[in-house]
């Protein structure tokens, strides 16, 4: 079907600018084509691959495979997150105010692709026979480079959503597609690792390919290529929308005082403060849950690499649940109420299999029931968590117009940067908490599952559950103070239009 968006792509640049000016005057840009939406969604594969790497593999790779002390791994990741977080407000504010022929966001997208891909590869090739000190600094340096390069892509890319569409529900649909592809992309590589890569690296000396360090440079190369292609496809696929995106503010003389004053004014929005605190709690809990995930699958439940691969395959179904469920929940309950309902079910349900094992009401590990019980509950719970994440992100997007009414400025990048800033600044606390739980539980570095005592495994679960539950439930309580619903959002749009 030939629509206005297709016609726009066929115009010369000068005609595109005239068409964009006409669209802005009418206040009604052409609808997004399906290809544009798909290209935008594909861009989420890059942060999806990176998130899977840092959340699931980096801690276990450096501590159990390379042999770096778990506490040092947690410390390096926490420091890298704090260092990286400093770049978020800079990139967010910069992308809100950048003036270029490619608009405010796309220069960052193109510039980040190669540095992110190259540094991601080298993260998985630490020097052999290196000292603990050398490994610590290597991990810290590469983690900072990867995360900073990702910021230069992720923040401007995420800030595109409020610009691509002002519609309350279409924003949720865009985030649904983006989160779906982020989970699919990141987990497709994870499934490939457990079902193909790790079995390829089983040797006479290493019976489990997860503990063969030679497998990880291959993973690094495949992940780097996926990241590179994801960013380039997304940037090119949304390039034709540049004339319809919001323009940078007029040129002005900026000082440090003006910049910080504008940041403080923008971020003082009451509903943003609610999401900011909620994001902080979610980041700590998420870092803890992700850091412990492979430990529970490997040590607590005793799954093999192939069984773990099947569980990761189940995340494709979970992503589909989130993709389908989030727009429906948004329409039925609204974003805030829907996030609270879905979040309560998801986060209370997440540690329940562990609680049942600690209470000794489940069959022994190694039975078919345990594998399918954990797999099924994992699919349902992750699907609900993805739905919650989509609603939360869409709630953040709706702050843009509310803030614009108060400040007179479009600050998509600042809001996205503030959310990612707090995620990075405190997520390391969760990772550090995970490494602390491992130490308190008595799980030694480089230990194979058969070498860990049942008492250590029980303590690992007993320490984890109350901490993660307290964080999730407090986060839900904070979200209840957010106050922008569909009626408020549409009222904001009307006021801006007038």
């Amino acid at each position: 079907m030939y629509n206005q968006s297709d016609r726009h792509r066929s115009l010369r640049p000068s005609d595109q600018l005239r068409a964009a000016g006409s669209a802005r005057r009418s206040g009604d840009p052409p609808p997004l084509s399906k290809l544009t939406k798909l290209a935008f969604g594909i861009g989420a594969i890059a942060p999806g691959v990176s998130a899977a790497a840092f959340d699931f593999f980096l801690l276990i790779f450096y501590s159990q495979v390379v042999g770096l002390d778990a506490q040092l791994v947690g410390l390096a990741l926490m420091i890298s997150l704090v260092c990286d977080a400093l770049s978020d407000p800079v990139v967010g504010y910069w992308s809100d105010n950048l003036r270029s022929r490619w608009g405010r966001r796309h220069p960052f997208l193109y510039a980040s692709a190669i540095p992110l891909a190259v540094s991601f590869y080298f993260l998985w090739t630490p020097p052999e026979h290196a000292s603990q000190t050398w490994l610590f600094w290597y991990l810290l340096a590469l983690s900072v480079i990867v995360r900073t390069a990702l910021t230069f892509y992720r923040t401007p890319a995420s800030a595109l959503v409020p610009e691509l569409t002002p519609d309350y529900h279409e924003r949720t649909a865009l985030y649904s597609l983006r989160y779906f592809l982020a989970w699919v992309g990141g987990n497709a590589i994870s499934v490939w690792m457990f079902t193909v890569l790790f079995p390829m690296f089983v040797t006479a000396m290493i019976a489990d390919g997860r503990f063969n360090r030679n497998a990880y440079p291959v993973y690094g190369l495949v992940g780097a290529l996926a990241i590179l292609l994801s960013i380039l496809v997304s940037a090119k696929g949304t390039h034709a929308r540049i004339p319809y995106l919001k323009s940078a503010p007029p040129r002005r003389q900026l000082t440090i005082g003006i910049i910080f004053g504008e940041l403080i004014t923008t971020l003082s929005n009451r509903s943003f403060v609610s999401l900011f605190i909620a994001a902080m709690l979610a980041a700590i809990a998420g870092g803890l849950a992700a850091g412990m995930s492979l430990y529970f699958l490997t040590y607590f439940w005793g799954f093999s690499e192939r069984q773990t691969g099947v569980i990761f395959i189940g995340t494709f179904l979970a992503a589909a649940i989130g993709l389908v469920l989030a727009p429906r929940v948004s329409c039925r309950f609204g974003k805030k109420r829907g996030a609270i309902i879905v979040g309560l079910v998801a986060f209370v349900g997440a540690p329940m299999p562990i609680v049942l094992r600690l209470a000794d009401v489940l069959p022994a590990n190694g039975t078919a029931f345990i594998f399918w019980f954990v797999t099924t509950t994992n699919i349902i719970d992750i699907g609900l968590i993805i739905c919650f994440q989509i609603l939360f992100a869409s709630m953040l997007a709706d702050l843009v117009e509310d803030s614009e009414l108060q400040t007179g400025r479009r600050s998509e990048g600042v809001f996205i940067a503030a959310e990612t800033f707090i995620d990075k600044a405190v997520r390391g606390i969760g990772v550090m908490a995970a490494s602390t739980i491992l130490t308190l539980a008595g799980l030694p570095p480089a230990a194979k599952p058969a070498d860990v005592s049942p008492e250590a495994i029980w303590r690992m679960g007993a320490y984890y559950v109350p901490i993660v539950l307290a964080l999730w439930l407090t986060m839900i309580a904070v979200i209840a103070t957010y106050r922008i619903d569909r009626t408020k959002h549409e009222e904001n749009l009307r006021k801006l239009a007038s």
Side-chain angles (χ1 to χ4, degrees):
M1 180 179 294
Y2 187 79
N3 58 26
Q4 294 182 27
S5 194
D6 298 321
R7 175 180 177 274
H8 167 69
R9 285 193 292 272
S10 69
L11 297 176
R12 293 174 299 177
S14 60
D15 294 330
Q16 290 178 1
L17 292 174
R18 284 194 292 272
S22 176
R24 288 196 185 98
R25 286 191 296 273
S26 69
D28 187 21
L32 293 172
S33 69
K34 291 182 179 179
L35 285 178
T36 301
K37 293 179 181 179
L38 179 61
F40 177 72
I42 287 174
I45 293 176
V49 171
S50 178
F54 277 86
D55 289 346
F56 299 122
F57 297 110
L58 207 59
L59 177 58
I60 199 169
F61 170 61
Y62 272 89
S63 64
Q64 305 302 124
V65 180
V66 176
L68 180 61
D69 183 84
Q71 289 284 77
L72 290 177
V73 177
L75 179 61
L77 295 181
M78 184 177 70
I79 294 174
S80 71
L81 280 168
V82 174
C83 292
D84 174 35
L86 299 177
S87 66
D88 283 290
V90 175
V91 174
Y93 190 87
W94 189 3
S95 72
D96 281 341
N97 292 275
L98 180 68
R99 304 180 67 87
S100 79
R101 64 188 182 93
W102 285 351
R104 298 189 293 170
R105 317 295 181 188
H106 281 72
F108 293 93
L109 273 56
Y110 288 115
S112 64
I114 292 178
L116 177 55
V118 171
S119 56
F120 182 87
Y121 168 74
F122 283 106
L123 183 63
W124 304 98
T125 60
E128 295 190 37
H129 311 298
S131 66
Q132 292 281 296
T133 301
W134 178 252
L135 286 173
F136 171 80
W137 286 109
Y138 184 92
L139 171 60
L140 176 59
L142 266 296
S143 297
V144 169
I145 295 172
V146 170
R147 290 187 183 279
T148 303
L150 183 62
T151 295
F152 272 80
Y153 168 72
R154 179 185 170 188
T155 298
S158 298
L160 282 173
V161 173
E163 296 188 69
L164 290 173
T165 176
D167 186 80
Y168 183 81
H169 293 306
E170 190 175 24
R171 286 178 176 177
T172 303
L174 270 181
Y175 275 119
S176 296
L177 178 61
R178 192 165 176 84
Y179 273 76
F180 171 75
L181 290 174
W183 279 84
V184 168
N187 284 291
I189 295 180
S190 300
V191 168
W192 167 76
M193 290 177 69
F194 284 108
T195 58
V196 178
L197 183 63
F198 288 148
M200 287 173 56
F201 282 86
V202 171
T203 67
M205 297 294 294
I206 305 176
D208 189 333
R210 285 174 291 186
F211 298 96
N212 189 335
R213 67 181 295 161
N214 294 326
Y216 289 89
V218 180
Y219 164 60
L221 179 61
V222 172
L225 291 175
I227 287 171
L228 181 64
L229 291 175
S230 166
I231 294 175
L232 294 180
V233 167
S234 183
K236 183 64 177 176
T238 56
H239 195 97
R241 298 292 300 189
I242 292 175
Y244 296 111
L245 303 179
K246 300 293 183 179
S247 301
R251 294 186 185 277
R252 55 204 171 120
Q253 186 68 37
L254 291 175
T255 65
I256 296 297
I258 291 175
I259 292 173
F260 274 97
E262 290 186 355
L263 286 173
I264 292 172
T265 302
T266 299
L267 300 180
S268 63
N269 181 282
R270 178 178 172 181
S271 289
F272 172 75
V273 172
S274 299
L275 294 188
F276 185 84
I277 297 173
M280 178 180 66
L281 295 167
I284 298 173
L288 172 59
M292 296 293 296
S293 175
L294 275 186
Y295 282 92
F296 278 112
L297 293 175
T298 303
Y299 297 96
F300 194 86
W301 299 113
F303 295 144
S304 68
E305 65 266 32
R306 290 190 182 275
Q307 287 176 314
T308 304
V310 172
I311 290 175
F312 272 90
I313 291 175
T315 58
F316 296 136
L317 294 175
I321 291 173
L323 172 69
V324 173
L325 188 60
R328 288 164 171 76
V329 170
S330 177
C331 292
R332 176 67 177 84
F333 299 105
K335 298 174 187 179
K336 170 187 167 180
R337 187 181 173 199
I340 292 174
I341 294 171
V342 171
L344 282 173
V345 176
F347 297 125
V348 172
M352 284 303 106
I354 299 173
V355 172
L356 294 176
R357 162 60 74 222
L358 295 176
D360 199 25
V361 299
L362 293 177
N365 286 353
T367 61
F369 174 83
I370 285 295
F371 172 72
W372 289 112
F373 174 70
V374 173
T375 300
T376 303
T377 55
N378 192 64
I379 290 171
I380 296 172
D381 192 65
I382 291 179
L384 294 175
I385 290 175
I386 293 172
C387 176
F388 172 85
Q389 292 173 338
I390 292 167
L391 295 170
F392 187 92
S394 194
M395 289 164 66
L396 186 66
D398 292 339
L399 290 171
V400 172
E401 289 80 14
D402 195 61
S403 174
E404 187 177 3
L405 277 174
Q406 299 174 14
T407 66
R409 296 186 302 273
R410 296 283 300 190
S411 303
E412 297 93 333
V414 170
F415 281 123
I416 297 298
E419 190 269 335
T420 55
F421 166 82
I422 196 63
D423 179 79
K424 294 172 182 178
V426 304
R427 193 175 185 84
I429 298 175
V431 177
M432 197 70 182
S435 61
T436 302
I437 287 174
L438 296 176
T439 301
L440 293 176
L443 199 74
K448 303 299 185 290
D451 300 330
V452 181
S453 68
E455 292 77 16
I457 293 174
W458 192 92
R459 287 193 296 268
M460 184 172 69
Y463 293 147
Y464 169 78
V465 170
I467 296 174
V468 78
L469 268 180
L471 289 168
W472 288 132
L473 293 178
T474 305
M475 178 202 68
I476 295 295
V478 172
I479 288 178
T481 62
Y482 176 88
R483 60 180 186 177
I484 300 176
D485 56 13
R486 181 179 179 179
T487 302
K488 174 68 172 174
H489 175 68
E490 292 178 348
E491 179 186 348
N492 288 340
L493 292 177
R494 285 194 297 270
K495 289 180 179 179
L496 289 172
S498 65

